[in-house]
Amino acid sequence: MLNRIKVALLALGVSLAGLIALAPIAGAAAGGNGLRVSPVRTDLTINPGQSQTVTVNVTNVTSAPATLQAIINDFTANPDESGNPALLLNGAFASSHSLKRFIAPISNFTLQPNQQQAVEIKVSVPKNAPGGGYYGAVRFANASNSKN
């Protein structure tokens, strides 16, 4: 029997102040911190031993250049049952079904004001991965001032 892996991948923008809305920020015109990321969510079905690549567009909506890093996190259901995911920070992995382990590292990149870049996120599922749902997030943050 063939096990299928279902993947939910969120792509998020992070400002210096923390998590931000996924649309332009009001302060962006004044040189504030802001990113637009699209698509925000991608669902994949990947067979064990195969890979898929997701393209995410990241736009710097500010008037200042920004050097960004991708931060890859697992997430789990929130204990408060709000329906919002609980990101696992500080290098933590989900106890089972960690998507973070399957995502290839993403190089830092610089965006000029109002510049957009397509970022490829490669998800490679090992042949021995058990079937089921794997959940993770890719966040984009200032490379010189972010927390994972």
Side-chain angles (χ1 to χ4, degrees):
M1 181 166 85
L2 182 63
N3 287 333
R4 293 193 183 256
I5 307 293
K6 291 197 178 268
V7 173
L9 178 68
L10 299 177
L12 306 171
V14 176
S15 73
L16 294 176
L19 199 60
I20 62 171
L22 299 174
I25 296 177
N33 300 306
L35 301 173
R36 181 172 42 231
V37 181
S38 177
V40 176
R41 178 184 168 134
T42 303
D43 294 312
L44 305 169
T45 300
I46 306 173
N47 291 324
Q50 295 184 345
S51 299
Q52 284 190 30
T53 300
V54 174
T55 301
V56 174
N57 295 303
V58 180
T59 306
N60 176 3
V61 298
T62 73
S63 60
T67 299
L68 304 173
Q69 70 174 331
I71 303 167
I72 302 166
N73 299 103
D74 284 330
F75 69 83
T76 61
N78 203 322
D80 68 9
E81 298 183 11
S82 64
N84 296 320
L87 282 176
L88 301 180
L89 304 175
N90 301 318
F93 290 90
S95 59
S96 67
H97 291 77
S98 169
L99 181 62
K100 178 178 176 175
R101 298 177 197 276
F102 300 164
I103 298 176
I106 301 165
S107 298
N108 291 1
F109 58 97
T110 300
L111 293 176
Q112 297 304 314
N114 299 308
Q115 181 183 7
Q116 176 179 294
Q117 179 164 324
V119 178
E120 292 190 346
I121 301 169
K122 184 175 182 181
V123 182
S124 299
V125 178
K127 288 182 181 182
N128 62 347
Y134 291 76
Y135 305 95
V138 177
R139 300 180 298 137
F140 296 93
N142 185 313
S144 63
N145 192 17
S146 67
K147 297 178 182 177
N148 62 2

